[in-house]
Amino acid sequence: MVIPPPVRPPRIVDFLKPYVLKMHFTNKYVTAQVIHSPTATVASAASSQEKALRDTMESTRDVAAAAHIGKLLGERLCQKDIPAVTVFLKRQQRYHGKVKAVIDSLVGAGIKLI
């Protein structure tokens, strides 16, 4: 006898999609991207290296730039109907400074954290 997998309501399945937020900070730029784990593809990305953003920002590497990148990434995720992400922090990253600015901006843009 074969047991079928459990059927979940569609509203729960939307929040269980495995989207992972990864951030990278260099001495010059801030980069954040959301990766769809099962397919290993980039769902959305934002960086302070983008030509349109470099002209509008005062600095491309400080906390204000990280907050701007988080807000932009949140808007792009909302356009693609991705309601929630999981945050992946490297060993040396802590919830402080630029990391906190990116995550708080995502939450402010309407993205939920799992």
Side-chain angles (χ1 to χ4, degrees), residues 13-22 33-44 77 80-88 106 111-114:
V13 173
D14 288 342
F15 288 97
L16 294 178
K17 291 181 181 174
Y19 290 100
V20 180
L21 169 69
K22 293 190 177 186
Q33 58 185 0
V34 174
I35 298 173
H36 187 245
S37 296
T39 58
T41 57
V42 176
S44 184
L77 289 173
K80 291 190 174 188
D81 294 328
I82 299 174
V85 296
T86 303
V87 178
F88 175 78
L106 270 176
I111 305 297
K112 292 185 169 63
L113 298 179
I114 301 174

mmCIF file of all heavy atoms in Angstrom, residues 13-22 33-44 77 80-88 106 111-114:
data_model
loop_
_atom_site.group_PDB
_atom_site.id
_atom_site.type_symbol
_atom_site.label_atom_id
_atom_site.label_comp_id
_atom_site.label_asym_id
_atom_site.label_seq_id
_atom_site.Cartn_x
_atom_site.Cartn_y
_atom_site.Cartn_z
ATOM 1 N N VAL A 13 1.819 26.426 1.735
ATOM 2 C CA VAL A 13 2.858 26.057 0.781
ATOM 3 C C VAL A 13 3.616 27.292 0.303
ATOM 4 O O VAL A 13 4.825 27.256 0.089
ATOM 5 C CB VAL A 13 2.246 25.285 -0.406
ATOM 6 C CG1 VAL A 13 3.282 25.035 -1.486
ATOM 7 C CG2 VAL A 13 1.663 23.975 0.080
ATOM 8 N N ASP A 14 2.919 28.438 0.170
ATOM 9 C CA ASP A 14 3.583 29.669 -0.262
ATOM 10 C C ASP A 14 4.680 30.091 0.707
ATOM 11 O O ASP A 14 5.698 30.647 0.307
ATOM 12 C CB ASP A 14 2.567 30.799 -0.408
ATOM 13 C CG ASP A 14 1.673 30.611 -1.616
ATOM 14 O OD1 ASP A 14 2.057 29.826 -2.506
ATOM 15 O OD2 ASP A 14 0.604 31.240 -1.667
ATOM 16 N N PHE A 15 4.479 29.842 1.997
ATOM 17 C CA PHE A 15 5.454 30.247 2.988
ATOM 18 C C PHE A 15 6.530 29.193 3.241
ATOM 19 O O PHE A 15 7.494 29.456 3.928
ATOM 20 C CB PHE A 15 4.764 30.605 4.305
ATOM 21 C CG PHE A 15 4.021 31.906 4.219
ATOM 22 C CD1 PHE A 15 2.672 31.919 3.977
ATOM 23 C CD2 PHE A 15 4.681 33.097 4.351
ATOM 24 C CE1 PHE A 15 1.990 33.114 3.876
ATOM 25 C CE2 PHE A 15 4.017 34.299 4.252
ATOM 26 C CZ PHE A 15 2.668 34.308 4.018
ATOM 27 N N LEU A 16 6.376 28.009 2.684
ATOM 28 C CA LEU A 16 7.356 26.956 2.909
ATOM 29 C C LEU A 16 8.370 26.833 1.772
ATOM 30 O O LEU A 16 9.190 25.941 1.780
ATOM 31 C CB LEU A 16 6.645 25.614 3.100
ATOM 32 C CG LEU A 16 5.790 25.509 4.343
ATOM 33 C CD1 LEU A 16 5.101 24.161 4.386
ATOM 34 C CD2 LEU A 16 6.615 25.705 5.593
ATOM 35 N N LYS A 17 8.295 27.735 0.799
ATOM 36 C CA LYS A 17 9.246 27.682 -0.298
ATOM 37 C C LYS A 17 10.638 28.014 0.220
ATOM 38 O O LYS A 17 10.820 28.955 0.970
ATOM 39 C CB LYS A 17 8.838 28.646 -1.405
ATOM 40 C CG LYS A 17 7.582 28.209 -2.111
ATOM 41 C CD LYS A 17 7.223 29.155 -3.209
ATOM 42 C CE LYS A 17 5.950 28.703 -3.877
ATOM 43 N NZ LYS A 17 5.472 29.649 -4.856
ATOM 44 N N PRO A 18 11.606 27.267 -0.184
ATOM 45 C CA PRO A 18 12.951 27.424 0.378
ATOM 46 C C PRO A 18 13.777 28.502 -0.330
ATOM 47 O O PRO A 18 14.675 28.211 -1.096
ATOM 48 C CB PRO A 18 13.569 26.045 0.177
ATOM 49 C CG PRO A 18 12.872 25.521 -1.035
ATOM 50 C CD PRO A 18 11.491 26.092 -1.013
ATOM 51 N N TYR A 19 13.483 29.746 -0.054
ATOM 52 C CA TYR A 19 14.278 30.853 -0.575
ATOM 53 C C TYR A 19 15.246 31.312 0.509
ATOM 54 O O TYR A 19 14.857 31.530 1.643
ATOM 55 C CB TYR A 19 13.383 32.014 -1.009
ATOM 56 C CG TYR A 19 12.572 31.696 -2.244
ATOM 57 C CD1 TYR A 19 11.244 31.315 -2.150
ATOM 58 C CD2 TYR A 19 13.144 31.766 -3.498
ATOM 59 C CE1 TYR A 19 10.508 31.025 -3.274
ATOM 60 C CE2 TYR A 19 12.416 31.475 -4.642
ATOM 61 C CZ TYR A 19 11.093 31.111 -4.520
ATOM 62 O OH TYR A 19 10.376 30.814 -5.641
ATOM 63 N N VAL A 20 16.505 31.445 0.158
ATOM 64 C CA VAL A 20 17.552 31.758 1.133
ATOM 65 C C VAL A 20 18.207 33.087 0.770
ATOM 66 O O VAL A 20 18.608 33.296 -0.375
ATOM 67 C CB VAL A 20 18.619 30.638 1.159
ATOM 68 C CG1 VAL A 20 19.711 30.961 2.157
ATOM 69 C CG2 VAL A 20 17.975 29.304 1.477
ATOM 70 N N LEU A 21 18.321 33.977 1.750
ATOM 71 C CA LEU A 21 18.989 35.258 1.570
ATOM 72 C C LEU A 21 20.461 35.111 1.928
ATOM 73 O O LEU A 21 20.792 34.642 3.016
ATOM 74 C CB LEU A 21 18.352 36.322 2.472
ATOM 75 C CG LEU A 21 19.092 37.651 2.586
ATOM 76 C CD1 LEU A 21 19.031 38.413 1.268
ATOM 77 C CD2 LEU A 21 18.525 38.482 3.708
ATOM 78 N N LYS A 22 21.338 35.484 0.999
ATOM 79 C CA LYS A 22 22.775 35.466 1.253
ATOM 80 C C LYS A 22 23.326 36.861 0.984
ATOM 81 O O LYS A 22 22.958 37.502 0.002
ATOM 82 C CB LYS A 22 23.474 34.439 0.371
ATOM 83 C CG LYS A 22 23.086 33.028 0.721
ATOM 84 C CD LYS A 22 23.939 32.013 0.023
ATOM 85 C CE LYS A 22 23.537 30.619 0.469
ATOM 86 N NZ LYS A 22 24.412 29.597 -0.063
ATOM 87 N N GLN A 33 21.538 38.576 -2.315
ATOM 88 C CA GLN A 33 20.792 37.807 -3.306
ATOM 89 C C GLN A 33 19.945 36.751 -2.613
ATOM 90 O O GLN A 33 20.288 36.270 -1.548
ATOM 91 C CB GLN A 33 21.721 37.180 -4.332
ATOM 92 C CG GLN A 33 22.764 36.259 -3.771
ATOM 93 C CD GLN A 33 23.726 35.786 -4.850
ATOM 94 O OE1 GLN A 33 23.596 36.146 -6.000
ATOM 95 N NE2 GLN A 33 24.676 34.958 -4.465
ATOM 96 N N VAL A 34 18.828 36.424 -3.242
ATOM 97 C CA VAL A 34 17.934 35.383 -2.746
ATOM 98 C C VAL A 34 18.031 34.214 -3.711
ATOM 99 O O VAL A 34 17.824 34.364 -4.911
ATOM 100 C CB VAL A 34 16.484 35.894 -2.631
ATOM 101 C CG1 VAL A 34 15.555 34.772 -2.253
ATOM 102 C CG2 VAL A 34 16.416 37.021 -1.619
ATOM 103 N N ILE A 35 18.356 33.041 -3.161
ATOM 104 C CA ILE A 35 18.582 31.849 -3.968
ATOM 105 C C ILE A 35 17.477 30.838 -3.701
ATOM 106 O O ILE A 35 17.100 30.606 -2.550
ATOM 107 C CB ILE A 35 19.963 31.243 -3.636
ATOM 108 C CG1 ILE A 35 21.041 32.254 -3.972
ATOM 109 C CG2 ILE A 35 20.179 29.930 -4.364
ATOM 110 C CD1 ILE A 35 22.412 31.853 -3.552
ATOM 111 N N HIS A 36 16.955 30.237 -4.759
ATOM 112 C CA HIS A 36 15.986 29.154 -4.648
ATOM 113 C C HIS A 36 16.778 27.860 -4.512
ATOM 114 O O HIS A 36 17.415 27.400 -5.465
ATOM 115 C CB HIS A 36 15.070 29.130 -5.869
ATOM 116 C CG HIS A 36 13.956 28.146 -5.748
ATOM 117 N ND1 HIS A 36 13.852 27.062 -6.572
ATOM 118 C CD2 HIS A 36 12.914 28.077 -4.891
ATOM 119 C CE1 HIS A 36 12.787 26.360 -6.237
ATOM 120 N NE2 HIS A 36 12.204 26.959 -5.218
ATOM 121 N N SER A 37 16.773 27.274 -3.323
ATOM 122 C CA SER A 37 17.657 26.154 -3.003
ATOM 123 C C SER A 37 17.455 24.910 -3.875
ATOM 124 O O SER A 37 18.446 24.325 -4.325
ATOM 125 C CB SER A 37 17.504 25.770 -1.534
ATOM 126 O OG SER A 37 17.918 26.831 -0.734
ATOM 127 N N PRO A 38 16.231 24.440 -4.114
ATOM 128 C CA PRO A 38 16.091 23.196 -4.887
ATOM 129 C C PRO A 38 16.652 23.291 -6.305
ATOM 130 O O PRO A 38 17.216 22.339 -6.815
ATOM 131 C CB PRO A 38 14.585 22.951 -4.913
ATOM 132 C CG PRO A 38 14.053 23.684 -3.755
ATOM 133 C CD PRO A 38 14.937 24.876 -3.582
ATOM 134 N N THR A 39 16.504 24.443 -6.948
ATOM 135 C CA THR A 39 16.990 24.573 -8.318
ATOM 136 C C THR A 39 18.352 25.254 -8.387
ATOM 137 O O THR A 39 18.944 25.319 -9.459
ATOM 138 C CB THR A 39 15.993 25.387 -9.165
ATOM 139 O OG1 THR A 39 15.819 26.677 -8.567
ATOM 140 C CG2 THR A 39 14.674 24.672 -9.271
ATOM 141 N N ALA A 40 18.830 25.774 -7.269
ATOM 142 C CA ALA A 40 20.122 26.462 -7.189
ATOM 143 C C ALA A 40 20.215 27.619 -8.174
ATOM 144 O O ALA A 40 21.221 27.822 -8.841
ATOM 145 C CB ALA A 40 21.264 25.485 -7.387
ATOM 146 N N THR A 41 19.136 28.378 -8.279
ATOM 147 C CA THR A 41 19.123 29.542 -9.154
ATOM 148 C C THR A 41 18.895 30.802 -8.320
ATOM 149 O O THR A 41 18.302 30.744 -7.241
ATOM 150 C CB THR A 41 18.004 29.453 -10.207
ATOM 151 O OG1 THR A 41 16.750 29.303 -9.536
ATOM 152 C CG2 THR A 41 18.226 28.276 -11.138
ATOM 153 N N VAL A 42 19.343 31.917 -8.834
ATOM 154 C CA VAL A 42 19.163 33.188 -8.144
ATOM 155 C C VAL A 42 17.774 33.717 -8.477
ATOM 156 O O VAL A 42 17.451 33.970 -9.636
ATOM 157 C CB VAL A 42 20.247 34.200 -8.571
ATOM 158 C CG1 VAL A 42 20.002 35.538 -7.917
ATOM 159 C CG2 VAL A 42 21.612 33.675 -8.219
ATOM 160 N N ALA A 43 16.943 33.864 -7.455
ATOM 161 C CA ALA A 43 15.587 34.366 -7.662
ATOM 162 C C ALA A 43 15.597 35.879 -7.844
ATOM 163 O O ALA A 43 14.867 36.417 -8.670
ATOM 164 C CB ALA A 43 14.697 33.978 -6.487
ATOM 165 N N SER A 44 16.412 36.562 -7.052
ATOM 166 C CA SER A 44 16.509 38.010 -7.153
ATOM 167 C C SER A 44 17.814 38.454 -6.504
ATOM 168 O O SER A 44 18.318 37.795 -5.593
ATOM 169 C CB SER A 44 15.319 38.670 -6.467
ATOM 170 O OG SER A 44 15.368 40.060 -6.643
ATOM 171 N N LEU A 77 11.554 41.305 -4.676
ATOM 172 C CA LEU A 77 10.933 40.049 -4.243
ATOM 173 C C LEU A 77 9.417 40.150 -4.248
ATOM 174 O O LEU A 77 8.727 39.193 -4.609
ATOM 175 C CB LEU A 77 11.434 39.670 -2.849
ATOM 176 C CG LEU A 77 12.887 39.209 -2.755
ATOM 177 C CD1 LEU A 77 13.286 39.023 -1.310
ATOM 178 C CD2 LEU A 77 13.091 37.931 -3.531
ATOM 179 N N LYS A 80 8.074 39.617 -7.657
ATOM 180 C CA LYS A 80 8.123 38.214 -8.091
ATOM 181 C C LYS A 80 7.249 37.312 -7.227
ATOM 182 O O LYS A 80 7.314 36.094 -7.355
ATOM 183 C CB LYS A 80 9.564 37.716 -8.072
ATOM 184 C CG LYS A 80 10.422 38.350 -9.134
ATOM 185 C CD LYS A 80 11.748 37.652 -9.221
ATOM 186 C CE LYS A 80 12.536 38.206 -10.392
ATOM 187 N NZ LYS A 80 13.748 37.444 -10.635
ATOM 188 N N ASP A 81 6.458 37.878 -6.320
ATOM 189 C CA ASP A 81 5.556 37.128 -5.446
ATOM 190 C C ASP A 81 6.292 36.117 -4.571
ATOM 191 O O ASP A 81 5.878 34.965 -4.434
ATOM 192 C CB ASP A 81 4.459 36.420 -6.252
ATOM 193 C CG ASP A 81 3.527 37.421 -6.927
ATOM 194 O OD1 ASP A 81 3.329 38.505 -6.349
ATOM 195 O OD2 ASP A 81 3.015 37.113 -8.019
ATOM 196 N N ILE A 82 7.387 36.538 -3.987
ATOM 197 C CA ILE A 82 8.113 35.720 -3.020
ATOM 198 C C ILE A 82 7.860 36.343 -1.654
ATOM 199 O O ILE A 82 8.401 37.392 -1.333
ATOM 200 C CB ILE A 82 9.619 35.676 -3.340
ATOM 201 C CG1 ILE A 82 9.821 35.055 -4.727
ATOM 202 C CG2 ILE A 82 10.370 34.894 -2.274
ATOM 203 C CD1 ILE A 82 11.235 35.085 -5.217
ATOM 204 N N PRO A 83 6.994 35.733 -0.828
ATOM 205 C CA PRO A 83 6.569 36.381 0.418
ATOM 206 C C PRO A 83 7.510 36.194 1.596
ATOM 207 O O PRO A 83 7.462 36.953 2.553
ATOM 208 C CB PRO A 83 5.233 35.709 0.714
ATOM 209 C CG PRO A 83 5.391 34.344 0.138
ATOM 210 C CD PRO A 83 6.264 34.497 -1.076
ATOM 211 N N ALA A 84 8.393 35.167 1.560
ATOM 212 C CA ALA A 84 9.205 34.878 2.738
ATOM 213 C C ALA A 84 10.560 34.322 2.325
ATOM 214 O O ALA A 84 10.685 33.661 1.292
ATOM 215 C CB ALA A 84 8.491 33.869 3.637
ATOM 216 N N VAL A 85 11.577 34.608 3.142
ATOM 217 C CA VAL A 85 12.920 34.095 2.899
ATOM 218 C C VAL A 85 13.522 33.599 4.203
ATOM 219 O O VAL A 85 13.080 33.965 5.288
ATOM 220 C CB VAL A 85 13.859 35.167 2.285
ATOM 221 C CG1 VAL A 85 13.391 35.595 0.927
ATOM 222 C CG2 VAL A 85 14.010 36.343 3.210
ATOM 223 N N THR A 86 14.516 32.752 4.075
ATOM 224 C CA THR A 86 15.314 32.306 5.207
ATOM 225 C C THR A 86 16.656 33.011 5.127
ATOM 226 O O THR A 86 17.224 33.148 4.051
ATOM 227 C CB THR A 86 15.532 30.782 5.135
ATOM 228 O OG1 THR A 86 14.267 30.142 5.101
ATOM 229 C CG2 THR A 86 16.310 30.284 6.329
ATOM 230 N N VAL A 87 17.168 33.453 6.253
ATOM 231 C CA VAL A 87 18.438 34.176 6.267
ATOM 232 C C VAL A 87 19.567 33.195 6.540
ATOM 233 O O VAL A 87 19.508 32.408 7.475
ATOM 234 C CB VAL A 87 18.425 35.285 7.344
ATOM 235 C CG1 VAL A 87 19.756 35.996 7.386
ATOM 236 C CG2 VAL A 87 17.300 36.256 7.080
ATOM 237 N N PHE A 88 20.588 33.238 5.698
ATOM 238 C CA PHE A 88 21.781 32.419 5.877
ATOM 239 C C PHE A 88 22.928 33.344 6.232
ATOM 240 O O PHE A 88 23.324 34.184 5.443
ATOM 241 C CB PHE A 88 22.112 31.643 4.601
ATOM 242 C CG PHE A 88 23.390 30.868 4.691
ATOM 243 C CD1 PHE A 88 23.423 29.665 5.365
ATOM 244 C CD2 PHE A 88 24.564 31.340 4.122
ATOM 245 C CE1 PHE A 88 24.597 28.936 5.451
ATOM 246 C CE2 PHE A 88 25.735 30.626 4.207
ATOM 247 C CZ PHE A 88 25.756 29.425 4.879
ATOM 248 N N LEU A 106 14.445 44.512 4.513
ATOM 249 C CA LEU A 106 13.616 43.477 3.883
ATOM 250 C C LEU A 106 12.284 43.327 4.629
ATOM 251 O O LEU A 106 11.228 43.252 4.007
ATOM 252 C CB LEU A 106 14.342 42.126 3.898
ATOM 253 C CG LEU A 106 15.232 41.804 2.715
ATOM 254 C CD1 LEU A 106 15.938 40.500 2.952
ATOM 255 C CD2 LEU A 106 14.453 41.751 1.443
ATOM 256 N N ILE A 111 8.611 41.568 3.450
ATOM 257 C CA ILE A 111 9.073 40.185 3.326
ATOM 258 C C ILE A 111 9.142 39.570 4.708
ATOM 259 O O ILE A 111 9.682 40.165 5.636
ATOM 260 C CB ILE A 111 10.450 40.124 2.637
ATOM 261 C CG1 ILE A 111 10.423 40.827 1.275
ATOM 262 C CG2 ILE A 111 10.924 38.690 2.496
ATOM 263 C CD1 ILE A 111 9.483 40.196 0.284
ATOM 264 N N LYS A 112 8.602 38.371 4.848
ATOM 265 C CA LYS A 112 8.642 37.677 6.137
ATOM 266 C C LYS A 112 9.902 36.832 6.235
ATOM 267 O O LYS A 112 10.408 36.334 5.242
ATOM 268 C CB LYS A 112 7.410 36.789 6.276
ATOM 269 C CG LYS A 112 6.122 37.574 6.399
ATOM 270 C CD LYS A 112 4.986 36.625 6.656
ATOM 271 C CE LYS A 112 3.748 37.281 7.045
ATOM 272 N NZ LYS A 112 3.012 38.137 6.327
ATOM 273 N N LEU A 113 10.393 36.671 7.445
ATOM 274 C CA LEU A 113 11.554 35.825 7.690
ATOM 275 C C LEU A 113 11.107 34.505 8.283
ATOM 276 O O LEU A 113 10.274 34.473 9.183
ATOM 277 C CB LEU A 113 12.525 36.503 8.652
ATOM 278 C CG LEU A 113 13.131 37.827 8.192
ATOM 279 C CD1 LEU A 113 14.041 38.376 9.252
ATOM 280 C CD2 LEU A 113 13.886 37.642 6.903
ATOM 281 N N ILE A 114 11.662 33.424 7.767
ATOM 282 C CA ILE A 114 11.319 32.090 8.285
ATOM 283 C C ILE A 114 12.422 31.632 9.196
ATOM 284 O O ILE A 114 13.569 31.739 8.902
ATOM 285 C CB ILE A 114 11.138 31.087 7.127
ATOM 286 C CG1 ILE A 114 10.042 31.554 6.190
ATOM 287 C CG2 ILE A 114 10.793 29.724 7.654
ATOM 288 C CD1 ILE A 114 9.887 30.711 4.963
#
